[in-house]
Amino acid sequence: MKILIIHGSMRKGNTYAITKGIVNFLLTKPDVECTEISVADLELSFCRSCHVCFSKGEEHCPHHTAMRGVQSALMECDGVILSGTTYMWALNAAMKNLLDHLAYGVHRPALFGKKGMVIATSAGNGEKAVAKYLKTALGQWGINGAIVITQNTKERQLQSSDKTAVKFDRAAERFYQLIASNRFIAPKLKSIAVHNAFRAMSLSDFAENECDIQFWQQQGFYDRAYPVKAGPKYVAGALMYEAVKHLTIMLGRTYAKHLNTQK
Ligand SMILES: Cc1cc2nc3c(=O)[nH]c(=O)nc-3n(C[C@H](O)[C@H](O)[C@H](O)COP(=O)(O)O)c2cc1C
């Protein structure tokens, strides 16, 4: 079982300590293999907004050399752990920058069937919003129902370290079991809606979607409202697809013009 861990803080502080505890627990399982990547080691410049990952493909990103390892590890893993910390009530910029470089994954979601976990810390406020954001990112790449761990300084002071360790070990065990069981996690209606919005948008008249069309075709994603079982929500996805398709074909032309004026 391959697990990818992305350490999102620039230092080996609170977030790293919790994440490392989870990794150590997972490594007690004989079938687990962990790959750890830290944003601090990537030397990743800010996303330049060149849009080539959307239009031509992620391999054309000017920062592809720094990103290549992350991208292939994401594709190869069975489970992924994203960790991040809270700066100004939001995800810290270094981790956000990494996610910006993976934004094409929302247009071309490729991680269906993998399992996720998110870990977020703060000194007192904002870690839950950060965790929610990280979970949303996983969801838009195709990973449903990620396990969430959050901790702020107040909680750290109030809870005994033994109790906290037990709590985190339990979460790690749940994550392991989730991957091992190959259990299906039903997508939320929102995930299906957004997936279908992108499914429809890829067909519109955008100036920058050649790569998306190819991807959706190759994956066979145009054939169904969601790539994994979605139950009755599937119908809502199909309706969303039809609605957005008509809307985006109309709006696509306007957006293409807008992009062209920015060049
Ligand atoms: C620039 C900066 C901004 C921060 N903003 C917040 C904040 O908005 N809310 C909060 O509770 N803690 C904030 N903190 C504290 C960190 O979130 C907290 O110490 C966190 O656990 C640090 O994680 P790390 O040890 O993994 O780096 C901030 C810290 C820094 C350096």
Side-chain angles (χ1 to χ4, degrees):
M1 179 189 297
K2 287 184 180 177
I3 299 179
L4 168 66
I5 299 96
I6 303 184
H7 294 285
S9 176
M10 288 299 281
R11 64 173 191 170
K12 290 188 174 168
N14 302 325
T15 321
Y16 182 83
I18 295 173
T19 312
K20 205 61 187 168
I22 301 287
V23 172
N24 290 338
F25 180 91
L26 291 168
L27 285 173
T28 62
K29 308 284 183 186
D31 56 340
V32 167
E33 195 186 302
C34 287
T35 303
E36 294 178 67
I37 294 176
S38 173
V39 289
D41 300 328
L42 287 178
E43 295 182 7
L44 184 62
S45 304
F46 280 122
C47 169
R48 289 192 198 163
S49 193
C50 64
H51 285 63
V52 294
C53 62
F54 298 132
S55 59
K56 295 199 171 79
E58 61 271 24
E59 65 281 12
H60 295 277
C61 171
H63 309 142
H64 184 56
T65 312
M67 284 301 297
R68 196 171 18 211
V70 181
Q71 289 160 341
S72 54
L74 270 172
M75 294 310 293
E76 283 163 21
C77 72
D78 303 298
V80 56
I81 300 177
L82 297 184
S83 82
T85 188
T86 311
Y87 288 177
M88 291 295 284
W89 301 278
L91 179 63
N92 63 302
M95 184 60 175
K96 175 64 169 56
N97 183 40
L98 178 76
L99 296 187
D100 292 344
H101 284 80
L102 296 167
Y104 65 86
V106 178
H107 291 238
R108 303 189 290 278
L111 304 186
F112 292 99
K114 298 181 194 290
K115 302 297 190 303
M117 176 183 247
V118 301
I119 299 169
T121 69
S122 83
N125 200 316
E127 76 285 357
K128 293 212 163 39
V130 167
K132 193 174 169 199
Y133 175 77
L134 291 172
K135 194 176 172 184
T136 300
L138 289 180
Q140 294 322 140
W141 297 337
I143 299 177
N144 297 310
I147 289 168
V148 174
I149 291 182
T150 59
Q151 193 186 57
N152 63 43
T153 310
K154 218 172 354 172
E155 290 164 344
R156 216 167 20 249
Q157 285 162 349
L158 289 176
Q159 283 168 3
S160 76
S161 53
D162 284 353
K163 210 171 158 190
T164 308
V166 169
K167 193 171 88 177
F168 293 162
D169 282 356
R170 280 202 191 125
E173 178 66 28
R174 271 195 295 138
F175 181 51
Y176 171 77
Q177 292 299 341
L178 198 59
I179 303 172
S181 67
N182 224 356
R183 193 151 52 85
F184 163 73
I185 308 267
K188 288 237 159 35
L189 192 59
K190 188 180 162 201
S191 301
I192 299 176
V194 176
H195 177 82
N196 277 281
F198 278 98
R199 178 180 172 219
M201 282 193 295
S202 72
L203 288 172
S204 77
D205 221 5
F206 285 165
E208 51 175 24
N209 64 352
E210 317 93 77
C211 201
D212 294 358
I213 293 179
Q214 214 177 28
F215 172 85
W216 286 75
Q217 272 169 352
Q218 274 167 2
Q219 300 293 319
F221 285 176
Y222 285 128
D223 305 338
R224 52 216 158 121
Y226 202 72
V228 290
K229 267 195 293 181
K233 293 176 204 160
Y234 200 94
V235 178
L239 291 173
M240 180 71 161
Y241 173 64
E242 288 305 325
V244 178
K245 191 168 74 180
H246 291 294
L247 193 69
T248 51
I249 285 171
M250 245 161 50
L251 294 178
R253 292 190 178 96
T254 318
Y255 184 60
K257 271 187 211 152
H258 160 77
L259 284 178
N260 287 332
T261 57
Q262 289 193 328
K263 279 178 187 157

